[in-house]
Amino acid sequence: MPSAYHRGRRPPADHRRPRRPGRRIHHALDSGINFVDTADVYSQGESETIVGKALAGGRRDDVVLATKFHGRLGDDPNAFGNSRRWIIREVENSLRRLGTDWIDLYQVHRPEPDTDFDETLGALSDLVHQGKIRYIGTSTFEPSAIVEGQWTAERRGRERVVAEQPPYSLLARGIEREVLPVAQRYGLGVLSWSPLAGGWLTGRYRKGAEQPASSRAERQAARFDITAPENAAKLAAADALAVLAEEAGLTLVQLALAFVLEHPAVTSAIIGPRTFAQLESQLGADKVRLSRDVLDRIDEIVPPGVNLSSRDAGYTPAVLTDASLRRRSA
């Protein structure tokens, strides 16, 4: 089973340490990782630039390179989304930043209901035919949108989506209900993101312990405020899972990654280590096999198909956030 390395947002400047860009990527590749994932919106393009430099000098050909489009870049009101105009323009920017002639997997970062899926697939199909991208993927799409993509490709003669990148972890199992079965039904690869639940499954969050400081918690305070009921539930589950991992002779990180890879629909778990120590703690987790007893214990702690926090779904449809879409009167 392939491993994956995710190059994401950089921490704020006061958390940075002097380093050579790409050293962790080199170490990951030397350790057997063969998939690198990023996105144009991460640090407003800087992440892609760092990845491009790291893969220069002959390392590009041995890597499955993935990036994404959709998020807003800059102040231009048209510089975002899933329209043909933006896709054709932004793929050139990503190719330049990545220092490559082709992108192996070009992913729609989030749905955009205001843009016809056929327009998006039409532009991406043209890029496949031009050799600028090899395959099309989506990220954090609902099952109905995944199916729509497959039917649109078949009926309109477009290149089909071959991979979905959803959030999946011991604490966020919502995709087990429909996303993973739908992906299996249509033969999609699944590249799960946030297998450590945004840091909750690193072993640092335990009952009775002082809550650890992190740049992620500073940026997303609502997701880490343990006074909130859903976060209190996550803390209790993380603590119980840590105990289970210890009893099984594993670290919580190993348990978390092995669990994600256990599902037959999952192709790869995308890791996002910020330090060499974090990278080392995650390498080799694909060799861990969980017993049926351990898996049953996990189901008791977090039931199948359940997200302990609604925020961990990764995407909230506009019909839930925009009241005008669900009311007949203004």
Side-chain angles (χ1 to χ4, degrees), residues 153-173:
E154 180 177 326
R155 292 180 174 182
R156 303 291 179 85
R158 308 299 193 187
E159 296 291 327
R160 64 185 289 266
V161 173
V162 302
E164 160 63 12
Q165 188 179 133
Y168 187 39
S169 74
L170 286 163
L171 304 182
R173 302 182 60 177

Side-chain angles (χ1 to χ4, degrees), residues 11-156:
D14 57 343
H15 290 279
R16 296 177 191 167
R17 297 179 181 177
R19 64 181 185 268
R20 276 191 329 219
R23 286 181 59 212
R24 289 194 305 279
I25 297 177
H26 289 165
H27 185 56
L29 298 181
D30 292 340
S31 300
I33 284 179
N34 58 6
F35 178 92
V36 177
D37 174 76
T38 185
D40 60 355
V41 76
Y42 296 159
S43 297
Q44 296 289 288
E46 184 180 5
S47 176
E48 287 185 328
T49 300
I50 291 173
V51 168
K53 291 179 179 178
L55 297 182
R59 308 208 70 154
R60 170 67 183 91
D61 290 345
D62 298 326
V63 168
V64 177
L65 179 59
T67 191
K68 315 178 198 72
F69 68 90
H70 168 83
R72 183 174 294 281
L73 288 171
D75 299 325
D76 184 342
N78 295 310
F80 83 101
N82 303 341
S83 68
R84 169 177 284 273
R85 181 184 188 278
W86 178 240
I87 292 170
I88 298 302
R89 173 181 167 186
E90 184 57 9
V91 72
E92 299 295 341
N93 293 330
S94 287
L95 288 168
R96 172 179 49 78
R97 288 188 293 258
L98 291 166
T100 184
D101 293 328
W102 79 98
I103 295 165
D104 293 296
L105 180 64
Y106 201 39
Q107 301 159 105
V108 191
H109 208 160
R110 290 293 188 275
E112 186 184 19
D114 291 338
T115 300
D116 190 335
F117 210 158
D118 181 56
E119 178 179 345
T120 301
L121 282 182
L124 292 172
S125 296
D126 288 346
L127 294 178
V128 171
H129 302 156
Q130 295 167 17
K132 294 181 179 180
I133 66 175
R134 300 285 170 83
Y135 297 100
I136 301 168
T138 55
S139 178
T140 322
F141 271 47
E142 295 185 297
S144 59
I146 295 173
V147 173
E148 179 186 357
Q150 298 298 308
W151 279 89
T152 299
E154 180 177 326
R155 292 180 174 182
R156 303 291 179 85

Side-chain angles (χ1 to χ4, degrees), residues 172-326:
R173 302 182 60 177
I175 66 168
E176 292 173 345
R177 288 181 176 273
E178 289 191 88
V179 171
L180 293 180
V182 166
Q184 285 180 294
R185 189 174 305 130
Y186 287 96
L188 271 64
V190 175
L191 313 168
S192 61
W193 60 266
S194 200
L196 299 183
W200 282 92
L201 297 174
T202 60
R204 301 172 66 200
Y205 290 84
R206 300 296 299 267
K207 277 186 173 181
E210 184 177 352
Q211 186 174 357
S214 73
S215 59
R216 181 186 283 112
E218 292 174 6
R219 296 193 308 270
Q220 303 172 356
R223 296 185 65 183
F224 293 87
D225 178 8
I226 58 174
T227 64
E230 57 187 19
N231 292 334
K234 288 169 66 172
L235 179 61
D239 187 76
L241 290 165
V243 172
L244 175 59
E246 291 167 3
E247 294 175 354
L250 301 170
T251 66
L252 182 54
V253 168
Q254 290 172 328
L255 179 75
L257 294 176
F259 167 79
V260 167
L261 294 172
E262 179 68 29
H263 198 290
V266 173
T267 307
S268 186
I270 297 178
I271 60 175
R274 190 170 56 84
T275 68
F276 279 99
Q278 290 174 0
L279 175 58
E280 287 294 334
S281 73
Q282 297 173 48
L283 292 173
D286 58 325
K287 305 296 192 301
V288 175
R289 292 293 176 269
L290 302 180
S291 68
R292 178 171 295 182
D293 177 64
V294 169
L295 292 169
D296 288 344
R297 295 269 303 277
I298 289 172
D299 287 349
E300 293 173 0
I301 296 169
V302 182
V306 170
N307 286 345
L308 293 184
S309 171
S310 59
R311 296 177 184 274
D312 292 336
Y315 172 73
T316 302
V319 292
L320 300 182
T321 59
D322 185 349
S324 67
L325 297 178
R326 59 179 185 272

